[in-house]
Amino acid sequence: MSLETRSLAPTTEGLDEAARLLAAGALVAFPSETVYGLGGDARQDAACAAIYAAKGRPQFNPLIVHLADVAAVARYAVMDDRARALAAAFWPGPLTLVLPRREEAGLSPLVSAGMATVAVRVPAHPLTRRLLQTFGGPLAGPSANPSGRVSPTRAEHVLEGLAGRIAAVLDGGPCAVGVESTIVGLAEGAPQLLRPGGVPVEAIEAVLGQPLVAGGSAEAPTAPGQLSSHYAPGAAVRLGVTRPDAGEIWVGFGPDCAGADLSLSETGDLTEAAARLFHMLREADRLAGQGGRIAFAPVPDTGLGRAINDRLGRAAAPRP
Ligand code: AMP
Ligand code: MG
């Protein structure tokens, strides 16, 4: 599927159109003080799945959620005293905090890749702030580049990588910082440096009054154990199943799964399957019950199917 990617001017009309597209579930790349982000409504499963599809990510790496102000952050994530101190010192600005997510706040599980945490940031760029105010919701925004490529700092870079795959880019000129946000993990234990970036580590340590410990790799934060208990099935999981055993809850994919209990996508659409994945894991586990068994139909290992299979493989892995 190829779209004609529009370039939107940094005007009231351009911002209104960007907000309208985002509300309709489309993807709009936007400038920030760090790099261009690939924006989608963080409450819409389909928009979040489309972000992964556009970037061609082989895994569901969690996405940073951009918000207009600290009050908005506190609606979606739990802020402790350390988070409030860092927010007061560095927001708006190039600092991302990984915090416990508020499960009932309505974020798609895809922004967290099924984990119990969410990465949040209040950007400083005036145009990003106006976009967030006009849109009025949480904006998922990983860097607006195909997976594995250099992060874009100009609208032209975004188009080089993603033209035809997203609805629009809001052209705000070159980004000022050009490096990504510093990511600090505050979800559990000592504060962790998950990625160095625009805010110096020393400045963060000065505010916290303690050193940051080296975090797990921010590029691969989703070890099997990190899947939130909400989405990690308690039932035993089998993959690639075309004929389920009696008593198994069978989750189909595509039109050839007559009699399936649930389906990732009846038409065999990988983006729809990605959007439904975490909900289906949860629902299948509920239907299977204590000591139950879940069988997933095969999902093609192409495009988003690779990320889906990666996640299903973790769900099927033996648990400690
Ligand atoms: P980018 O695509 O450049 O915006 O990078 C976002 C980075 O934030 C990725 O490396 C993610 O792994 C990391 N990240 C986002 N959410 C979380 C989270 N909940 N826990 C740990 N790291 C995260
Ligand atoms: Mg990136």
Side-chain angles (χ1 to χ4, degrees):
M1 177 190 61
S2 186
L3 301 167
E4 185 172 346
T5 302
R6 295 163 59 196
S7 184
L8 301 175
T11 58
T12 302
E13 295 72 41
L15 287 162
D16 283 346
E17 182 60 6
R20 191 192 65 73
L21 287 165
L22 289 166
L27 304 187
V28 178
F30 61 94
S32 79
E33 71 275 27
T34 59
V35 301
Y36 271 76
L38 175 51
D41 186 338
R43 298 162 296 195
Q44 295 189 40
D45 295 315
C48 296
I51 289 176
Y52 288 106
K55 283 185 69 84
R57 282 191 172 179
Q59 294 188 355
F60 293 118
N61 240 8
L63 309 173
I64 295 174
V65 176
H66 297 71
L67 292 149
D69 51 38
V70 178
V73 170
R75 276 203 289 282
Y76 293 102
V78 181
M79 297 186 74
D80 64 10
D81 290 345
R82 301 169 307 174
R84 295 216 173 258
L86 292 176
F90 301 112
W91 281 349
L95 175 69
T96 296
L97 299 179
V98 174
L99 302 173
R101 62 184 249 150
R102 293 194 189 278
E103 272 315 319
E104 304 317 315
L107 291 177
S108 168
L110 277 178
V111 298
S112 300
M115 297 188 296
T117 58
V118 62
V120 286
R121 167 164 118 78
V122 176
H125 193 295
L127 195 62
T128 328
R129 297 177 64 74
R130 284 178 66 197
L131 176 63
L132 287 168
Q133 277 149 11
T134 312
F135 173 54
L139 194 60
S143 53
N145 52 317
S147 191
R149 300 266 248 350
V150 175
S151 292
T153 53
R154 293 171 177 269
E156 302 89 89
H157 301 168
V158 174
L159 291 172
E160 276 162 32
L162 297 176
R165 300 201 222 168
I166 62 176
V169 54
L170 182 62
D171 189 347
C175 299
V177 175
V179 297
E180 291 149 315
S181 57
T182 306
I183 305 181
V184 173
L186 294 175
E188 57 183 51
Q192 295 183 314
L193 178 66
L194 298 174
R195 178 175 76 188
V199 174
V201 170
E202 295 75 13
I204 294 168
E205 291 178 333
V207 170
L208 290 174
Q210 70 181 115
L212 294 175
V213 302
S217 160
E219 296 308 319
T222 52
Q226 288 178 280
L227 193 62
S228 159
S229 59
H230 284 294
Y231 303 103
V237 176
R238 256 185 351 122
L239 304 181
V241 176
T242 50
R243 283 160 156 267
D245 296 339
E248 276 182 327
I249 296 300
W250 191 31
V251 186
F253 176 85
D256 300 327
C257 295
D261 299 280
L262 299 167
S263 178
L264 286 170
S265 167
E266 278 166 20
T267 58
D269 180 286
L270 287 169
T271 305
E272 181 182 37
R276 302 180 70 170
L277 176 63
F278 291 107
H279 301 288
M280 287 296 131
L281 280 167
R282 201 168 170 169
E283 181 63 5
D285 201 38
R286 194 183 67 75
L287 291 176
Q290 276 286 338
R293 288 171 301 140
I294 307 170
F296 279 87
V299 174
D301 208 34
T302 56
L304 261 191
R306 283 195 298 154
I308 294 169
N309 284 325
D310 169 79
R311 172 55 67 211
L312 288 176
R314 293 164 194 267
R319 248 161 256 284

